[in-house]
Amino acid sequence: SLVSCHRMSAPTVWEGAGMSQLDFMHKDECVLLDMEDKIVGHDNKYESHIFCPERPRGKLHRAFSVFLFNDKGELLLQQRAKEKITFPGVWTNTCCSHPLFGYQPSEVDGPEEVKRGDVPGVKRAAVRKLEHELGISPSQVPIEDFKFLTRLHYWAADVVTHGPASPWGEHEIDYILFIQVKDVELKPNPEEVMDTKWVTYVELLEMMMPSSNLLWSPWFRIIATKFLGTWWKDLPKTLSTDLHFDPDNIHRFDCSEEHMGGAGGAGPWLDLKGSEFGDLWLGQVRVNQGKAPETPSMKHLLQKDDKNVWRLEATE
């Protein structure tokens, strides 16, 4: 299987020191998926996140979202750095990133780990990125303290940053992880995070009101409006019982209208209960018998201006 093959051929440990956002886009290999979260291949962050006519929503890949609470029950938010290529400057949950293919210990989970709820690969990725983005020591966030709740399938074009023909977006099956810590020391990485804030639920609702003029990540907006209040209301039970543990369902949502479009002109799909054939790339995966198809690279067509706004160069 892909997972066992990965474990045999993963000799390296992830290193982030001295690397730029573009370095990570080239080096980091995302785990590619079909609609049911089955692994179909892997590709670098560039190709996974490029929205184009051939792949209007990029390539579906695995992600995680960490919600880290302190002993007062406050949630740690971060504002993504202006240097980020996708969704720069937006407020979001504590940490959002991708488990990666090709590293040891493995960050790739199979269906049995999901069913049991231990998902050690995703949790290792979360510990890695909490340290990289926020300077949180792994000893302060033990893997066994994370609670995996459920999975969210969503997509969003980053048209707010890069305009109506944005070549960038997210298309993810997102693993939701909760954790509560007594004490945590933050040393945010300025290339990843420009601000942080501990909030109560009421304070979060106030921050998310349109009058605040704050930008929010599309995935956090979905989670906050559909699920977060219920999970947060009884945090001890959410963390210590299986009251909200749902490994069987993948909750599917289109982004809000402000994040539709992009270079591939993507529109409503998941909210219409669409199948994989509602997405060009996922339809190709299905036709290719559940394996990621060979696709031409689009990276060489990317152009960036001095304001970090990207576009796809027109082809003949």
Side-chain angles (χ1 to χ4, degrees):
S1 74
L2 274 165
V3 176
S4 60
C5 170
H6 158 69
R7 284 176 180 150
M8 289 168 61
S9 60
T12 53
V13 174
W14 189 86
E15 290 288 345
M19 299 194 71
S20 70
Q21 296 295 320
L22 289 176
D23 292 332
F24 293 128
M25 293 295 278
H26 180 72
K27 176 184 84 114
D28 287 351
E29 292 273 314
C30 291
V31 179
L32 302 182
L33 307 169
D34 69 8
M35 283 279 279
E36 301 309 317
D37 196 27
K38 181 185 167 199
I39 298 164
V40 300
H42 55 94
D43 205 345
N44 65 53
K45 274 190 186 175
Y46 265 112
E47 301 298 340
S48 303
H49 290 83
I50 291 173
F51 280 33
C52 58
E54 296 81 359
R55 305 193 290 271
R57 299 181 187 87
K59 299 182 179 186
L60 178 62
H61 54 274
R62 192 170 285 172
F64 63 84
S65 283
V66 174
F67 291 73
L68 185 145
F69 299 86
N70 61 18
D71 56 0
K72 293 188 284 188
E74 295 170 328
L75 172 64
L76 180 62
L77 302 177
Q78 69 153 277
Q79 186 181 20
R80 289 162 65 89
K82 286 279 195 271
E83 290 76 17
K84 298 289 280 185
I85 292 168
T86 55
F87 303 100
V90 304
W91 282 92
T92 192
N93 49 288
T94 313
C95 180
C96 333
S97 193
H98 312 91
L100 299 177
F101 187 90
Y103 290 99
Q104 282 288 24
S106 174
E107 294 184 357
V108 182
D109 294 308
E112 288 307 310
E113 285 106 337
V114 174
K115 191 81 175 169
R116 289 195 306 265
D118 50 13
V119 292
V122 164
K123 291 177 181 179
R124 287 185 195 114
V127 171
R128 169 175 60 79
K129 285 301 286 184
L130 285 166
E131 183 173 35
H132 175 233
E133 293 187 4
L134 293 160
I136 296 173
S137 165
S139 64
Q140 296 181 314
V141 282
I143 277 180
E144 60 271 18
D145 287 2
F146 285 90
K147 179 75 175 183
F148 164 55
L149 294 180
T150 192
R151 293 169 289 175
L152 168 74
H153 177 189
Y154 81 97
W155 67 275
D158 192 5
V159 293
V160 174
T161 303
H162 303 291
S166 170
W168 294 119
E170 284 290 6
H171 187 188
E172 300 180 329
I173 291 182
D174 194 11
Y175 283 51
I176 310 302
L177 300 175
F178 268 39
I179 185 170
Q180 188 169 26
V181 294
K182 283 187 178 174
D183 189 33
V184 71
E185 189 177 344
L186 300 178
K187 296 176 188 170
N189 176 350
E191 289 194 0
E192 297 283 337
V193 176
M194 61 188 292
D195 201 2
T196 59
K197 187 175 176 65
W198 292 98
V199 294
T200 64
Y201 185 54
V202 170
E203 288 168 341
L204 174 64
L205 294 178
E206 290 171 354
M207 283 180 73
M208 295 189 75
M209 289 180 69
S211 57
S212 73
N213 292 318
L214 297 175
L215 293 174
W216 295 88
S217 74
W219 60 90
F220 181 72
R221 190 172 283 285
I222 292 169
I223 295 165
T225 54
K226 307 280 186 186
F227 301 103
L228 187 56
T230 302
W231 294 337
W232 197 345
K233 189 164 96 175
D234 198 351
L235 190 58
K237 270 192 182 170
T238 298
L239 287 161
S240 64
T241 74
D242 286 340
L243 179 64
H244 298 300
F245 174 52
D246 178 14
D248 299 322
N249 293 303
I250 300 173
H251 304 277
R252 305 186 199 274
F253 300 98
D254 285 324
C255 55
S256 61
E257 199 169 329
E258 68 177 334
H259 287 113
M260 289 192 180
W269 165 48
L270 293 174
D271 290 349
L272 305 176
K273 310 297 182 195
S275 75
E276 58 264 59
F277 292 107
D279 179 80
L280 271 179
W281 185 79
L282 282 170
Q284 290 171 349
V285 170
R286 176 70 179 270
V287 170
N288 200 38
Q289 298 178 314
K291 294 178 184 172
E294 292 289 329
T295 55
S297 171
M298 294 290 167
K299 178 185 166 187
H300 65 286
L301 297 175
L302 290 167
Q303 300 286 325
K304 178 177 79 115
D305 68 17
D306 57 5
K307 294 179 180 171
N308 202 32
V309 173
W310 293 71
R311 63 182 176 83
L312 273 181
E313 197 177 59
T315 54
E316 294 301 324

